[in-house]
């Protein structure tokens, strides 16, 4: 199930204004061009930012997400008619033959259950044409990104047009092995409503990710650095192998 910040209509509506800098998507746009991708599957597309950037470049895009409220936001954006939006996840997709499948942001780490992760990799592979690529990122566990997830480091007040001021901050709740749980709090100045969203992410080691990719029928072509977060994330480039 998607986190509250994606499935609550009021939170989904302010998701983009609260996180306006999406420079993290630039490397994915460059890779789509690098690989000559004309058909892309955007897994965990959320409010559709990446899918719409691709569509504006003439790429055929399928965006899939389990959060209906986020998809409603995506469908309301200019150019949304160019994208095929699906409510669901990568484990139950219609027949596709994508050149590229992507999981940007926290999408891969938000799949915390090992069997769900295997099923997602298998679903993405089935959606790719032979030789098609899966690209996704995951934070390097040793960098302990969660140590910065506290009110002091994350507190902001954002003036959202048509909504008013929104206070937001994160709090770390629990670290249990590879699982890290945290809570975002949102306060709407217009009426004082307070909403919260708890999330759990799985921090996987590079060797674990590579082994699972191979087990699910991929060849790992490359493990890159995230240009906007050097030394903090792995960006995996995996290719659908000829035989699973």
């Amino acid at each position: 199930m998607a986190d509250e910040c994606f499935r609550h209509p009021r939170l989904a509506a302010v998701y983009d204004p609260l996180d306006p800098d999406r420079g993290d998507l630039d490397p994915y746009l460059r890779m789509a061009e690098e690989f000559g991708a004309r058909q892309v599957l955007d897994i965990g597309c959320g409010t559709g930012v990446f899918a719409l950037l691709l569509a504006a470049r003439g790429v055929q895009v399928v965006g899939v997400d389990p959060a209906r409220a986020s998809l409603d936001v995506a469908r309301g954006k200019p150019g949304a008619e160019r994208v095929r939006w699906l409510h669901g996840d990568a484990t139950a997709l219609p027949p596709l033959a994508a050149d590229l499948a992507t999981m940007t942001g926290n999408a891969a780490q938000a799949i915390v259950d090992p069997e769900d992760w295997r099923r997602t990799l298998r679903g993405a592979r089935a959606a790719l044409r032979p030789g098609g690529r899966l690209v996704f990122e995951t934070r390097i566990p040793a960098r302990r990104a969660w140590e910065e997830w506290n009110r002091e480091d994350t507190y902001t007040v954002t003036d959202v047009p048509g909504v008013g001021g929104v206070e937001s901050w994160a709090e770390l709740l629990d670290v249990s092995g590879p699982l890290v749980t945290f809570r975002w709090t949102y306060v709407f100045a217009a009426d004082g409503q307070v909403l919260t969203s708890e999330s759990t992410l799985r921090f996987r080691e590079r060797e674990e990710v590579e082994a699972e990719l191979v087990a699910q029928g991929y060849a790992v072509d490359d493990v890159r650095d995230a240009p906007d977060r050097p030394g903090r994330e792995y960006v995996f480039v995996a290719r659908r192998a000829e035989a699973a």
Side-chain angles (χ1 to χ4, degrees):
M1 181 180 293
D3 299 335
E4 196 72 2
C5 62
F6 304 113
R7 60 190 178 93
H8 190 290
R10 193 171 194 183
L11 293 180
V14 299
Y15 184 84
D16 291 337
L18 295 185
D19 186 20
D21 181 8
R22 296 310 309 271
D24 61 300
L25 298 177
D26 291 343
Y28 289 91
L29 291 172
R30 290 194 293 269
M31 282 188 281
E33 184 175 356
E34 173 188 347
F35 302 140
R38 305 310 305 157
Q39 296 186 346
V40 175
L41 169 64
D42 185 14
I43 300 168
C45 65
T47 58
V49 176
F50 182 57
L52 290 169
L53 287 172
L54 287 170
R57 296 181 173 208
V59 177
Q60 296 181 34
V61 188
V62 174
V64 60
D65 199 279
R68 192 178 298 277
S70 291
L71 287 177
D72 288 343
V73 172
R75 289 188 176 107
K77 292 181 176 181
E81 71 282 354
R82 301 173 181 167
V83 178
R84 182 182 181 187
W85 306 104
L86 300 176
H87 179 235
D89 57 38
T91 68
L93 292 168
L96 300 172
D99 303 307
L100 177 67
T102 61
M103 287 185 276
T104 66
N106 291 332
Q109 285 188 259
I111 306 169
V112 298
D113 179 77
E115 181 54 32
D116 288 343
W117 178 234
R118 288 189 285 269
R119 293 174 65 231
T120 297
L121 294 178
R122 290 196 294 268
R125 184 186 183 280
L128 290 169
R129 63 167 176 77
R133 292 175 175 87
L134 169 65
V135 178
F136 61 92
E137 65 189 65
T138 183
R139 291 179 176 89
I140 298 173
R143 292 301 302 266
R144 302 174 65 86
W146 57 85
E147 292 181 347
E148 300 172 1
W149 298 348
N150 55 70
R151 180 174 176 132
E152 180 179 2
D153 289 333
T154 61
Y155 180 84
T156 61
V157 180
T158 306
D159 186 19
V160 180
V163 174
V166 181
E167 295 177 78
S168 61
W169 66 89
E171 301 169 90
L172 181 65
L173 299 181
D174 184 64
V175 180
S176 298
L179 300 181
V180 178
T181 301
F182 56 99
R183 176 194 298 125
W184 276 96
T185 298
Y186 307 87
V187 182
F188 291 80
D191 57 8
Q193 185 177 25
V194 178
L195 296 173
T196 60
S197 177
E198 291 190 11
S199 302
T200 299
L201 301 180
R202 178 176 286 272
F203 283 71
R204 299 178 176 92
E205 298 291 349
R206 172 174 173 167
E207 295 76 15
E208 175 189 358
V209 176
E210 291 185 346
E212 196 61 73
L213 284 167
V214 171
Q216 301 308 325
Y218 295 89
V220 180
D221 283 347
D222 201 2
V223 182
R224 304 182 179 184
D225 203 14
D228 59 318
R229 299 176 297 281
R232 299 177 67 88
E233 296 195 355
Y234 299 122
V235 179
F236 290 88
V237 180
R239 175 173 37 86
R240 174 177 167 168
E242 289 304 314

